[in-house]
Amino acid sequence: MEDPIQLKDEGNKNFQAGDIDQAIKCYTEAVKVCTDKKVLAIIHRNRSACYLKKENYANAVSDATKAIDIEAADIKALYRRCQALEKLGKLDMAFKDVQRCATIEPKNKTFLETLRRLGAEIQAKLKTSFSTDSRVQNMFDILLDPEMDSDKQEKAANNLIVLSREEAGAERIFQNNGVALLMNLIETQKAQMVLAAIRTLAGMCTGHKARTMAIIHMVGIDKLCSIMAIDNEELAFAVCDLFQCINDSLTGGDKRVYGKEEALVLDANKDLKAILLALLEMVGNKKVSGHGRDQALNLLTKNVPRKNKKDPDHSRTLYTIDHGLRKILKVCGQVPDLPDQMPMTENTQLIASVLLEKLYDDLLCDPERDNFRDICDDYIKGKFDPTDMDKNIHAINTLSGLLQGPFDVGNILVGRQGIMEMMVALCGSEREVDQMVAVEALIHSSTKMSRASFIITNGVSLLKDIYKKTKNEKIKIRALVGLCKLGSAGGDDYSLRQFAEGSTEKLAKQCRKWLCNPTLDVRTRKWAIEGLAYLTQDADVKDDFVEDEQAMKAMFELAKSKDKTILYAVAATLVNCTNSYDKKEIIPELVQLAKFSKQHVPEQHPKDKRDFIERRVKRMLKAGVISALAVMVRADNAILTDQTKEMLARVFLALCEDAKDRGIIMAQGGGKALIPLSLEGTAIGKVRASHALAKIAAVSNPEIAFPGERVYEVVRPLVALLSTENDGMQNYEALRGLTNLAGYSEKLRVKIVKEKALPEIENYMFEEHDQIRQAATECMCNLVTCKEVQDRYLEDGNDKLKLLILLCSEDDDVLQRAASGALAMLSAAQQKLCTKMTLVTTQWLEILQRLCIHDNPQIQHRGLVIVYNMLHSDDNELSKKLIECEILEILTVTGKQEDNPKRQMAIDTARACLVKAMDLGLIKPFSSPS
């Protein structure tokens, strides 16, 4: 058995050395083997100090209490418990502990100051509580008074919402019978009162598990669902937000430490399951409004699939598939033009398709995927009825929903016997609604080239007939999109065209004509953009489209409309026009080999060359593409899928390519729009958006490009871009962006350090690539005024300072200027570094002399500032050594020069160095004999 005293002493050493984790380990081992109560009290007291350092305040209180239980007058344990209790917000208990400390040591200034401060804080808190209680009651009195002026009621409602978003305010509302009063507000059935009540409840449920569970049981899940089902977009969104706050609090959003009270907080799984079932019930309920259905689907999309694919628990997804998949498919199958359909918005069916895709992607194994497909297959088969055409088009529309969601599932089902034949038969039906549903299904099913070639053989003539014969514009435009999609099956491969020369341009012209027709409804014009999304893979089409400013502006206006199902098609069109999709590198040798073996070789269209792309970008910027992109980015997450976000990020990066255009992008809100794209979405999308952000941050004033607190959100994406997994250009642009930000304010420098950027920046200072090394050194130069960075240079056992000195000897002027600037600021801020510079490398003096006689006045000035800082340090030996070498001659020659605006700073610094040398008695002023 190990000796507890020895373990305690070892823990003390680790604590003094700053290794807190190892100290805790030693103390924990000591607790296990210690039998002496007095020693045990000391160990608990010491471990309490460790937990305080680690900000684990609950454990700090627990250990300090164990020490006090053994020795009631243990003053260190009492004060540590006081500190931990204060951090946990338990001021009254902390006050009692420090009161006992002050009684034991009445002259201790620390105890007396803490006693005074806590007393003042408790008084202020009591005062706030009493005033808050009366304010809460007053607000409810105003809101529940039917005779009260509406302006006063609106003001009271807003004040209540604001109060609920603060922890103290939320607790006061809850303690003052607030939930019952909020229920009274809901019962008034006045939209604004109900809205205020729901938003207040959302504030009260944020980040507090116990309070959230109490509110759920007092208000009731069914009651909240009934409010969300009302045909009021604002109310539906507010209840959705409340449900999201509830979910976050019950699934780990509550970060507070409850200690022993944790046992009082019941298991939340039952409530979460009840909410899930209620939402699934809403999805398939005809009495629910379109807005309510949208928000129910949004909540399922956001909270059912796993956020982290490494998490093995996907039981919520399996439960949703078992209890709700048929209800989601029912939504996909709705045909708005038929009677007796569920209320829906223009976005509902796309949100349902996105949910289906996310559920399918969350499955772990083939049997689970087979079960998903079987449920879909059974549902669609069950709808086919030779005697009921409405059921048939419901089945085909459901298939369209699957093809827009989990495409693999839809693609397999399209291949089932009779499905394609049914689509073709519906195309020939006399009912226009049958034709419309069938054409849409054909469009969605022809995504893969193999399927497209089948439809080219069997369906092109059918689509042409429909296009020519129908007088219904809605069907006409859908048939045209089908032809567009089939015409673009070869992608941007110039040599692989499905239709005759000029056909795609004719189709595109008709699409642009419909797009610019304001008399058509938004849904119909949306299909014109769908057509262009396919046709713009052809360079002739994209060039014609960009030349048509009216068509571009019409598309941008539609992108800003309420119908968000349009976003993907707009994003795809913009990606095509900017050529921002991934292109495989063509290796000439492999091309020759392919030609020799008579394999197909993709050919680039002449209009897909760099100068054509640049011209298109300029025209798009002129037409207002940035304002459209900024609106698109703000769309609901369920509609704005990760793939759409990635496409928008690609477009932004292409638009930022020319530094001259970045001012326009910044002025129209492009910087603000890029921040969410750089934080959410696919890995490629986040990198592209971060790269675009870096390009803007590198050349613009951060205060203008990212106004207010938004500038601090830019740091994280740029630091992520420093990863070695990204390419050199991305690393370089990120370093330039961070350099600009670091030069802006101390708060930004601290943020960069907190995001753990320093190790990456230091690594790039060793980089062989000249420009990357230069950018990293410039970034470090702007960061050295930060105290945390200076501390890293003061640490022993690394080559950070040595590297900076050696970089000063490089032939690159920009690199020398940055490295010498960093040394000048470091030696001014930390005198100890003046001495350390002489110890890390023997070449320091030679390098310093070269800086002081450099041709570049800026570098010379920095070198002379380093000399000045060394003379002002407390190291007399160092000052003496400087004056005894060639430095004195350099200072004398520089100082004697005539005033010169170009070199004045260097001349003045040299003169200041000579004056300091005289003050130190190292040199004497020259005097002529009398």
Side-chain angles (χ1 to χ4, degrees):
M1 186 181 285
E2 291 189 65
D3 181 12
I5 304 290
Q6 192 178 340
L7 285 166
K8 175 180 75 70
D9 292 343
E10 193 179 332
N12 294 349
K13 285 177 187 173
N14 286 318
F15 182 84
Q16 287 160 7
D19 191 348
I20 308 300
D21 290 328
Q22 191 58 38
I24 290 173
K25 195 175 177 183
C26 292
Y27 293 140
T28 304
E29 289 299 316
V31 166
K32 290 176 184 175
V33 295
C34 185
T35 52
D36 187 323
K37 281 196 172 184
K38 286 189 177 180
V39 175
L40 190 62
I42 294 166
I43 296 167
H44 278 303
R45 185 178 74 199
N46 291 358
R47 193 168 68 174
S48 177
C50 292
Y51 284 131
L52 269 174
K53 286 270 187 188
K54 296 289 286 182
E55 298 181 8
N56 188 338
Y57 302 119
N59 282 352
V61 169
S62 176
D63 265 345
T65 303
K66 287 171 184 172
I68 294 162
D69 288 344
I70 297 167
E71 179 56 61
D74 188 335
I75 200 160
K76 286 185 178 178
L78 279 166
Y79 190 64
R80 280 169 194 164
R81 188 168 73 174
C82 160
Q83 289 174 298
L85 287 167
E86 183 186 355
K87 292 290 185 183
L88 289 170
K90 299 178 180 180
L91 300 184
D92 50 343
M93 294 168 73
F95 184 80
K96 286 177 185 175
D97 278 348
V98 77
Q99 208 171 30
R100 285 170 69 187
C101 291
T103 306
I104 298 165
E105 286 189 19
K107 293 182 181 178
N108 189 307
K109 288 182 181 177
T110 304
F111 297 157
L112 293 172
E113 172 56 29
T114 307
L115 193 65
R116 183 199 62 73
R117 181 170 52 77
L118 286 176
E121 285 181 21
I122 289 167
Q123 287 303 315
K125 193 175 179 183
L126 285 170
K127 189 177 178 183
T128 305
S129 293
F130 290 131
S131 64
T132 303
D133 290 349
S134 60
R135 278 170 61 208
V136 167
Q137 193 56 52
N138 187 37
M139 286 176 210
F140 278 117
D141 289 343
I142 293 168
L143 289 167
L144 293 167
D145 184 354
E147 306 297 321
M148 188 58 68
D149 180 56
S150 61
D151 288 343
K152 283 187 178 179
Q153 285 190 323
E154 188 179 342
K155 190 176 179 182
N158 289 333
N159 288 340
L160 196 63
I161 294 162
V162 170
L163 189 65
S164 72
R165 287 171 183 168
E166 299 168 8
E167 173 52 34
E171 190 59 28
R172 296 322 302 167
I173 295 170
F174 186 76
Q175 296 294 346
N176 282 274
N177 197 31
V179 179
L181 292 169
L182 289 168
M183 287 297 291
N184 291 342
L185 274 184
I186 291 169
E187 293 306 325
T188 64
Q189 295 187 357
K190 292 178 183 175
Q192 287 308 309
M193 295 296 105
V194 178
L195 193 60
I198 295 297
R199 286 175 175 167
T200 304
L201 287 170
M204 292 168 70
C205 288
T206 301
H208 199 299
K209 186 175 181 180
R211 192 163 61 225
T212 300
M213 292 185 75
I215 288 169
I216 291 170
H217 291 283
M218 291 167 83
V219 178
I221 294 166
D222 290 342
K223 182 68 179 175
L224 294 176
C225 288
S226 69
I227 298 167
M228 193 158 81
I230 296 168
D231 190 14
N232 182 315
E233 187 176 3
E234 206 173 9
L235 262 180
F237 187 80
V239 179
C240 174
D241 183 52
L242 170 55
F243 270 127
Q244 191 58 53
C245 293
I246 290 169
N247 182 81
D248 291 346
S249 293
L250 298 187
T251 55
D254 183 358
K255 300 299 179 189
R256 67 179 40 75
V257 180
Y258 283 104
K260 290 178 182 177
E261 296 164 29
E262 187 74 51
L264 301 174
V265 181
L266 302 171
D267 180 20
N269 285 329
K270 189 177 177 182
D271 288 327
L272 288 167
K273 189 176 176 182
I275 291 169
L276 179 57
L277 273 172
L279 292 174
L280 288 171
E281 187 59 37
M282 283 188 74
V283 167
N285 191 337
K286 277 189 180 181
K287 293 178 182 177
V288 175
S289 70
H291 297 302
R293 203 177 319 281
D294 281 4
Q295 298 308 333
L297 288 165
N298 279 336
L299 284 164
L300 292 169
T301 304
K302 192 169 183 182
N303 299 306
V304 171
R306 293 166 297 161
K307 289 179 177 66
N308 181 3
K309 294 297 181 188
K310 291 180 182 177
D311 180 4
D313 182 19
H314 68 317
S315 55
R316 283 163 73 91
T317 298
L318 297 177
Y319 187 85
T320 302
I321 290 168
D322 288 343
H323 292 82
L325 181 54
R326 289 177 176 274
K327 291 170 183 172
I328 302 164
L329 291 171
K330 184 180 177 182
V331 174
C332 290
Q334 297 298 295
V335 182
D337 296 322
L338 290 179
D340 199 31
Q341 299 295 293
M342 289 194 288
M344 294 190 301
T345 69
E346 55 271 18
N347 300 321
T348 307
Q349 288 178 304
L350 182 61
I351 299 171
S353 292
V354 171
L355 173 56
L356 288 172
E357 182 178 21
K358 287 187 177 290
L359 290 173
Y360 188 72
D361 285 347
D362 202 41
L363 298 176
L364 294 174
C365 57
D366 287 342
E368 290 174 359
R369 294 185 193 97
D370 291 342
N371 177 54
F372 186 100
R373 279 195 299 271
D374 290 344
I375 293 171
C376 295
D377 198 10
D378 289 345
Y379 181 85
I380 291 169
K381 277 180 185 172
K383 291 294 173 187
F384 278 131
D385 185 347
T387 62
D388 190 341
M389 197 57 79
D390 286 359
K391 281 189 174 181
N392 290 334
I393 61 171
H394 180 90
I396 297 299
N397 220 30
T398 305
L399 195 56
S400 285
L402 284 167
L403 288 162
Q404 290 175 83
F407 181 81
D408 290 343
V409 176
N411 204 25
I412 288 168
L413 297 182
V414 167
R416 295 277 197 262
Q417 189 177 0
I419 297 283
M420 194 60 74
E421 289 80 359
M422 175 60 75
M423 286 188 200
V424 174
L426 286 171
C427 284
S429 168
E430 291 180 6
R431 279 205 317 179
E432 289 180 339
V433 67
D434 297 345
Q435 293 178 30
M436 196 154 61
V437 169
V439 172
E440 283 188 25
L442 279 172
I443 292 166
H444 296 310
S445 64
S446 61
T447 297
K448 294 286 168 84
M449 270 189 72
S450 58
R451 184 66 59 193
S453 60
F454 170 83
I455 294 169
I456 285 170
T457 310
N458 297 278
V460 170
S461 57
L462 196 64
L463 289 171
K464 282 181 179 176
D465 281 348
I466 292 172
Y467 178 69
K468 286 173 185 174
K469 289 175 185 177
T470 187
K471 291 177 183 178
N472 186 321
E473 291 286 333
K474 292 180 180 180
I475 298 172
K476 205 176 188 76
I477 200 166
R478 283 163 173 78
L480 179 71
V481 172
L483 292 169
C484 290
K485 191 168 185 179
L486 299 173
S488 64
D492 67 344
D493 185 350
Y494 184 47
S495 62
L496 199 64
R497 293 188 163 201
Q498 299 285 351
F499 292 160
E501 187 76 35
S503 295
T504 49
E505 286 92 322
K506 285 178 186 174
L507 292 171
K509 189 176 180 182
Q510 184 59 53
C511 283
R512 296 206 309 274
K513 186 179 169 185
W514 269 319
L515 179 58
C516 298
N517 186 351
T519 60
L520 293 173
D521 63 281
V522 171
R523 199 173 172 198
T524 304
R525 291 167 72 201
K526 177 194 85 170
W527 281 98
I529 301 175
E530 289 274 356
L532 288 168
Y534 300 118
L535 292 175
T536 47
Q537 292 180 64
D538 184 295
D540 286 317
V541 172
K542 62 181 99 169
D543 230 44
D544 290 344
F545 176 61
V546 171
E547 290 294 323
D548 188 345
E549 193 169 326
Q550 188 188 355
M552 270 203 297
K553 285 184 174 178
M555 183 175 80
F556 297 154
E557 285 307 310
L558 281 174
K560 297 174 189 176
S561 70
K562 280 190 174 183
D563 186 350
K564 298 303 178 188
T565 58
I566 208 165
L567 296 184
Y568 188 88
V570 173
T573 305
L574 294 174
V575 164
N576 291 338
C577 291
T578 54
N579 282 50
S580 47
Y581 42 76
D582 285 331
K583 292 289 287 182
K584 287 183 181 177
E585 187 183 353
I586 296 173
I587 301 165
E589 291 83 358
L590 288 179
V591 171
Q592 293 301 320
L593 188 63
K595 284 180 179 177
F596 178 76
S597 58
K598 295 183 180 177
Q599 296 294 315
H600 171 70
V601 179
E603 291 179 24
Q604 186 186 37
H605 195 291
K607 288 185 180 177
D608 273 334
K609 290 181 179 171
R610 185 78 254 153
D611 53 338
F612 280 94
I613 297 168
E614 287 171 3
R615 206 175 309 147
R616 288 200 291 268
V617 165
K618 302 286 181 195
R619 292 194 68 87
M620 288 166 71
L621 286 167
K622 187 184 173 187
V625 65
I626 298 298
S627 60
L629 288 169
V631 171
M632 291 165 74
V633 168
R634 292 199 295 270
D636 193 286
N637 260 352
I639 295 285
L640 193 68
T641 61
D642 288 349
Q643 288 75 20
T644 310
K645 287 179 192 171
E646 182 185 318
M647 287 196 288
L648 294 179
R650 287 174 181 275
V651 173
F652 265 119
L653 183 57
L655 297 172
C656 290
E657 199 60 43
D658 188 344
K660 293 173 189 172
D661 296 329
R662 292 172 202 169
I664 300 167
I665 294 166
M666 185 180 71
Q668 294 180 359
K672 177 184 170 184
L674 275 165
I675 294 170
L677 292 177
S678 65
L679 298 172
E680 296 173 355
T682 65
I684 294 170
K686 287 191 284 189
V687 169
R688 295 287 191 279
S690 300
H691 193 181
L693 263 182
K695 283 178 179 288
I696 292 171
V699 298
S700 57
N701 180 343
E703 195 171 18
I704 298 169
F706 314 103
E709 295 295 305
R710 197 165 285 113
V711 69
Y712 302 104
E713 297 174 40
V714 179
V715 174
R716 183 170 294 173
L718 297 195
V719 173
L721 202 60
L722 293 176
S723 168
T724 50
E725 291 179 6
N726 298 323
D727 64 44
M729 180 54 77
Q730 289 163 347
N731 300 150
Y732 172 70
E733 300 268 21
L735 287 165
R736 287 188 66 217
L738 288 170
T739 302
N740 197 17
L741 294 178
Y744 176 61
S745 73
E746 179 63 19
K747 201 172 172 185
L748 265 173
R749 287 190 281 275
V750 170
K751 175 69 174 171
I752 291 169
V753 172
K754 279 187 177 175
E755 290 293 341
K756 300 188 172 123
L758 284 180
E760 298 284 5
I761 296 167
E762 286 162 356
N763 285 342
Y764 287 121
M765 288 170 72
F766 287 95
E767 179 66 48
E768 288 182 15
H769 193 287
D770 292 342
Q771 285 179 293
I772 292 178
R773 183 174 52 176
Q774 186 189 98
T777 310
E778 286 180 320
C779 190
M780 187 58 73
C781 179
N782 281 359
L783 286 168
V784 292
T785 56
C786 190
K787 181 71 170 61
E788 287 90 334
V789 180
Q790 293 167 13
D791 290 343
R792 287 173 76 92
Y793 278 93
L794 283 166
E795 288 170 5
D796 292 325
N798 62 66
D799 290 331
K800 293 181 179 68
L801 191 62
K802 181 179 178 181
L803 175 64
L804 267 184
I805 297 167
L806 294 176
L807 289 175
C808 290
S809 65
E810 294 287 329
D811 292 332
D812 183 342
D813 274 16
V814 178
L815 184 61
Q816 275 186 303
R817 188 177 63 205
S820 57
L823 282 176
M825 287 188 280
L826 282 168
S827 56
Q830 299 288 343
Q831 288 189 353
K832 289 179 184 176
L833 288 174
C834 294
T835 306
K836 189 176 177 182
M837 283 165 65
T838 66
L839 304 173
V840 292
T841 174
T842 55
Q843 299 174 48
W844 71 273
L845 190 55
E846 180 191 339
I847 292 168
L848 186 57
Q849 287 171 2
R850 286 176 60 188
L851 290 176
C852 292
I853 57 170
H854 205 285
D855 294 337
N856 186 318
Q858 290 182 324
I859 296 171
Q860 184 187 22
H861 173 238
R862 286 158 171 72
L864 292 167
V865 168
I866 297 168
V867 173
Y868 177 84
N869 293 336
M870 287 178 161
L871 291 170
H872 279 75
S873 70
D874 297 330
D875 192 338
N876 292 328
E877 286 299 315
L878 173 56
S879 301
K880 191 176 176 184
K881 188 170 185 178
L882 286 172
I883 298 303
E884 286 175 352
C885 70
E886 288 88 342
I887 292 283
L888 177 59
E889 187 180 343
I890 295 167
L891 292 174
T892 307
V893 171
T894 308
K896 282 182 177 179
Q897 288 178 13
E898 291 182 10
D899 287 355
N900 179 346
K902 288 184 179 178
R903 292 188 173 270
Q904 197 57 46
M905 292 173 78
I907 294 166
D908 290 344
T909 308
R911 290 170 183 170
C913 288
L914 291 168
V915 171
K916 183 62 182 176
M918 282 190 282
D919 292 345
L920 292 170
L922 298 172
I923 58 172
K924 292 180 181 178
F926 178 77
S927 57
S928 55
S930 55

